[in-house]
Amino acid sequence: MIPSVLPTYSRAPLTFVKGEGSWMIEADGRRFLDLGAGIAVNVLGHANPVLVDALTTQAGKLWHVSNLYNIEQQQGLADKLVAATFADTAFFTNSGTEACELAVKMVRKYWYEKEQPERTEIIAFEGAFHGRSSAGIAAAGSEKMTKGFGPLLPGFAQVPWGDLDAVSASITDQTAAVIVEPVQGEGGIRPMEDATLKDLRTICDDAGILLILDEVQCGMGRTGRLFAHEWAGIAPDVMMVAKGIGGGFPLGAVLANEKAASGMIAGTHGSTYGGNPLACAVGCAVVDTVADPAFLEEVNRKAGLLRQKLEGLVAAYPDVFETVRGAGLMLGLKCKPACTDVVSAGYDNEVITVPAADNVVRLLPPLNIEDDDISEAVKRLEAAAAQVAAAAKE
Ligand code: PLP
């Protein structure tokens, strides 16, 4: 009999009932160190008092109001994002997938308004993840995500990860844009080199096409800058944001420059909940905290500490780990045995990690994880590695 919850997830046998900072408490009382943060969502940890206050204060005033009216918190959050980034304008969504939908619509509308409506194609990279909607799966293009869900939304092409020659060769007079995650998350924590991202911007400029960055997973301070592309010194035309921006409250956004957004006039897009007062009140508190240079400096320091300890772990368990890679607090351990075995052994040792493609275990802790918790987490990962190594010898 089909379960009452549609069984689209393979769930670990864990039920968390409470969170405190970088810790999650299971129904049986066990305390887990959370290096997953809800897959890069809980950027300020669990039950952060600043976010609890932002949410509950707003909850006592006004939960929801239609986008038929001005929404103060939404305006406030848009102003903050415009001030802190390349963007001239923002549209709020409830998720990264919805941000993908708008990004696709926006770049197509841009060309329609420029009287080149045939320019609809978007070039994406293999291993990408842009969400599970019809546009999201068509963009990623992998068999795993698209099989059985045809006909796929047309207008997407994929090129090998980081292959700029392939990008150039794929650009035609029907190309609208290129979409890329500066650090692929689901694809296995694969950072695009700064120089490559820079060259990709140049290729887009030379061809006159738009560049969409998907910073749903790698944005909001995760790599030690507010957004990952800042390391490369470039700016996109359109950027998808979600996950961390709500700190655990469902919130996403599309940020864009004026040129790219110019076709999106009244009536061209909308959302009932997108940019609702509760979400934006929390979003404002997250952005105020994360965009602070002192906070980001701490993220970089903590990232250095974690990475150094992980290098030691990889060196100590060469049969379990091949390498550590990533940027900031978005790190991946490339495994030799199945990465899911390492994640499961982590559960046994009360540390949460997240599997990804390319046999990588993802580490995406809260950005404000305490130094002591970093040390304890690595001890637990070491115990997990020892368990996996011992099991392999049996
Ligand atoms: N884009 C990237 C890079 C993601 O990592 C994800 C989710 O994992 C998405 C888009 C989709 O976001 P959501 O699950 O909020 O719809």
Side-chain angles (χ1 to χ4, degrees), residues 95-97 129-131 181 186 214 216-217 243:
S95 68
T97 301
F129 187 86
H130 300 300
E181 296 156 82
E186 305 297 313
D214 180 345
V216 167
Q217 195 162 146
K243 289 188 181 278

Side-chain angles (χ1 to χ4, degrees), residues 19-329:
E20 292 166 1
S22 298
W23 295 83
M24 288 204 291
I25 294 109
E26 220 271 348
D28 65 7
R30 281 179 299 159
R31 291 174 63 82
F32 286 68
L33 255 170
D34 185 8
L35 299 187
I39 318 188
V41 168
N42 305 96
V43 283
L44 299 179
H46 298 276
N48 183 294
V50 175
L51 301 194
V52 171
D53 182 54
L55 181 64
T56 52
T57 302
Q58 185 58 42
K61 288 189 198 160
L62 184 65
W63 285 30
H64 178 77
V65 63
S66 165
N67 278 306
L68 292 171
Y69 313 103
N70 296 320
I71 300 176
E72 270 184 346
Q73 298 73 20
Q74 185 183 126
Q75 183 64 55
L77 181 55
D79 290 345
K80 286 178 198 298
L81 290 167
V82 165
T85 70
F86 75 96
D88 299 315
T89 189
F91 180 94
F92 294 101
T93 66
N94 308 287
S95 68
T97 301
E98 288 166 82
C100 178
E101 291 296 311
L102 174 55
V104 169
K105 282 178 70 177
M106 187 181 278
V107 297
R108 289 179 171 172
K109 188 67 163 32
Y110 169 80
W111 287 108
Y112 176 85
E113 295 296 336
K114 283 190 70 120
E115 296 181 355
Q116 295 185 58
E118 68 285 0
R119 281 198 184 261
T120 55
E121 190 167 277
I122 298 172
I123 299 169
F125 286 90
E126 287 169 8
F129 187 86
H130 300 300
R132 299 283 195 155
S133 63
S134 295
I137 63 173
S142 66
E143 189 184 337
K144 187 174 159 225
M145 264 192 290
T146 58
K147 198 174 174 191
F149 298 114
L152 293 183
L153 190 68
F156 293 93
Q158 290 80 28
V159 295
W161 175 242
D163 186 343
L164 297 192
D165 290 339
V167 172
S168 296
S170 300
I171 295 173
T172 67
D173 54 12
Q174 300 191 355
T175 306
V178 174
I179 183 168
V180 64
E181 296 156 82
V183 185
Q184 280 192 344
E186 305 297 313
I189 309 291
R190 298 199 291 180
M192 183 166 270
E193 296 281 327
D194 289 347
T196 309
L197 200 52
K198 241 184 171 151
D199 288 348
L200 180 61
R201 175 74 268 187
T202 306
I203 289 170
C204 291
D205 287 343
D206 291 350
I209 60 175
L210 300 174
L211 177 63
I212 305 169
L213 294 185
D214 180 345
E215 293 230 16
V216 167
Q217 195 162 146
C218 64
M220 288 312 296
R222 177 97 356 231
T223 67
R225 300 290 285 267
L226 185 55
F227 289 103
H229 66 266
E230 294 171 25
W231 289 111
I234 60 135
D237 298 293
V238 179
M239 182 168 72
M240 297 152 53
V241 183
K243 289 188 181 278
I245 191 171
F249 200 94
L251 177 61
V254 172
L255 306 188
N257 62 29
E258 188 162 8
K259 176 179 105 169
S262 56
M264 302 305 294
I265 57 169
T268 54
H269 199 64
S271 166
T272 294
Y273 288 124
N276 128 324
L278 286 176
C280 289
V282 178
C284 283
V286 171
V287 171
D288 282 345
T289 307
V290 175
D292 180 345
F295 180 89
L296 291 169
E297 212 171 285
E298 271 294 282
V299 172
N300 285 305
R301 189 188 59 77
K302 287 171 199 287
L305 186 65
L306 176 58
R307 185 149 191 153
Q308 188 191 15
K309 287 179 186 290
L310 291 176
E311 301 280 3
L313 180 69
V314 169
Y317 291 90
D319 294 340
V320 180
F321 301 117
E322 222 172 276
T323 183
V324 52
R325 67 191 190 205
L329 286 173

